[in-house]
Amino acid sequence: MALIVVTTSPRVAPGLFAPAAWKALTGGRVLTGTPDHPCLPYLDEAGVRVEVVTPDPGAIARASRTETVVWLAAQDGDEDFMRAVGHAVISLDEPPEIEVVPGSYDLPGARLLDLVQVMDRLRRECPWDRKQTHESLVPYLVEEAYEVLETIDEGDYGAPLREELGDLLLQVVFHARLAQERMGTDGDGFDIDDVAAGIVEKLVRRHPHVFADVEVSGAGEVSDNWETIKAAERAAKGETGSVLSGVPMGQPAVSLAAQLLRRAGRAGAPGVLAEDLATPAGARLFALVREIQDAGLDPEAELRAAAREYRRRVEEWEDDRR
């Protein structure tokens, strides 16, 4: 006969089983070592009898020689127990077949639920995480964003980029967790679902050529529509109608100048407004940013490339001196 192991994901609502899992669960004697398995009430409602037993690898292996035994694994996979069952099966003279049937599959993005749970536990149990505030986390948020930028600059698109994106994602989840603690106490609390819902609504609203019946001729028209929709959103909030509204003035100066010029240019602001600015040195830098941008280049990226090259040359010079 056979031993069929049915696994389930803790990130999928209990009771949602794949067809192959239902076939297995209704085709043999079903056992589990998890008395509080979240799927048990749903199986009982469906008329599937599940015996809760004390996990005994040898007994399970022997029973599966003469009948089909279905083991409903704990949601952590019962790895140690199943490894012991495997050893017990191998030791039998006539070992039964073992088949693993996934009862449910994670949807894309399901592991984000794990991150939320880990963050909740850290906030409760870790002294360092427990004392953090939005303000205390600001340096880490900026640092992680720059580390993502560095991996992209260096072309590390594999594991390094994945790791740095994870560190940045943690900052988003951390801030959302802090805000969640204010829910019910004042009017500015929210949670990670509110964050996700907000960006989903914004993306749908700003992509009518994807989610509605608006037609576009190319990326340029998409960008124009985006700015028009943003202006309408600002007006609806009662914000100033300036095309420069929302530009973060605290960003690095080169990227700040480039973004201001880009926004003003889209609005048709005359070029003379960028001349004779406050200080001669600042005016020269601003003019250079404008010149580079007019050439179709990214001033921030160009300066970073030059800085990397300069760093390489200094390091080579240091090596030659040693």
Side-chain angles (χ1 to χ4, degrees):
M1 301 301 282
L3 171 61
I4 301 175
V5 181
V6 175
T7 61
T8 58
S9 169
R11 294 169 289 275
V12 175
L16 297 178
F17 291 103
W22 277 118
K23 181 178 179 180
L25 290 164
T26 56
R29 180 186 176 198
V30 183
L31 309 176
T32 187
T34 311
D36 58 349
H37 198 294
C39 291
L40 291 182
Y42 301 93
L43 290 171
D44 182 65
E45 184 178 349
V48 177
R49 181 173 177 269
V50 181
E51 301 175 46
V52 179
V53 300
T54 299
D56 183 334
I60 297 295
R62 291 189 296 273
S64 59
R65 288 188 306 176
T66 57
E67 61 179 328
T68 297
V69 175
V70 181
W71 181 261
L72 179 61
Q75 292 198 311
D76 63 3
D78 275 346
E79 291 186 11
D80 292 340
F81 172 68
M82 294 316 304
R83 191 176 295 111
V85 170
H87 289 309
V89 166
I90 292 174
S91 68
L92 297 175
D93 293 336
E94 298 182 5
E97 293 183 2
I98 300 179
E99 180 183 2
V100 177
V101 177
S104 54
Y105 297 87
D106 287 343
L107 295 172
R111 294 307 298 270
L112 293 175
L113 299 175
D114 292 346
L115 177 56
V116 171
Q117 290 180 344
V118 168
M119 186 68 255
D120 285 345
R121 184 168 181 180
L122 290 176
R123 185 65 176 167
R124 292 193 307 267
E125 301 179 19
C126 173
W128 187 90
D129 290 279
R130 195 163 52 234
K131 75 175 186 178
Q132 299 310 307
T133 65
H134 290 299
E135 292 76 15
S136 70
L137 290 174
V138 167
Y140 304 103
L141 177 62
V142 175
E143 178 182 335
E144 300 302 351
Y146 277 120
E147 289 185 359
V148 170
L149 177 58
E150 184 175 2
T151 59
I152 294 174
D153 282 345
E154 296 179 354
D156 293 332
Y157 297 138
L161 179 58
R162 181 192 66 204
E163 180 177 350
E164 298 302 341
L165 287 173
D167 291 341
L168 184 58
L169 178 61
L170 171 61
Q171 296 305 309
V172 176
V173 174
F174 208 149
H175 280 278
R177 181 62 175 80
L178 295 180
Q180 180 181 336
E181 295 170 9
R182 299 196 303 274
M183 294 178 69
T185 60
D186 53 36
D188 66 351
F190 57 85
D191 60 18
I192 190 64
D193 288 319
D194 295 319
V195 174
I199 189 60
V200 167
E201 291 170 3
K202 180 184 291 186
L203 290 173
V204 171
R205 186 171 62 249
R206 294 187 182 179
H207 290 79
H209 55 286
V210 175
F211 300 100
D213 55 1
V214 172
E215 295 185 3
V216 294
S217 58
E221 192 171 350
V222 170
S223 182
D224 292 341
N225 288 346
W226 181 282
E227 294 300 328
T228 300
I229 295 169
K230 284 177 64 176
E233 291 171 355
R234 290 194 296 269
K237 295 177 182 177
E239 297 176 357
T240 174
S242 173
V243 71
L244 301 182
S245 296
V247 174
M249 298 300 289
Q251 64 182 300
V254 172
S255 59
L256 171 61
Q259 188 174 5
L260 290 171
L261 284 164
R262 191 163 53 246
R263 289 275 197 96
R266 287 175 184 158
V272 68
L273 298 179
E275 299 174 2
D276 300 323
L277 297 172
T279 64
R284 290 199 303 273
L285 286 170
F286 203 88
L288 183 57
V289 169
R290 182 182 177 192
E291 176 186 333
I292 294 171
Q293 201 166 55
D294 287 344
L297 302 173
D298 179 354
E300 183 78 16
E302 293 299 308
L303 184 56
R304 284 185 178 279
R308 288 197 303 273
E309 174 65 13
Y310 178 70
R311 175 180 175 177
R312 183 187 64 78
R313 291 182 182 184
V314 171
E315 289 173 344
E316 289 180 352
W317 172 75
E318 289 176 322
D319 289 341
D320 291 341
R321 296 184 63 193
R322 291 190 180 100

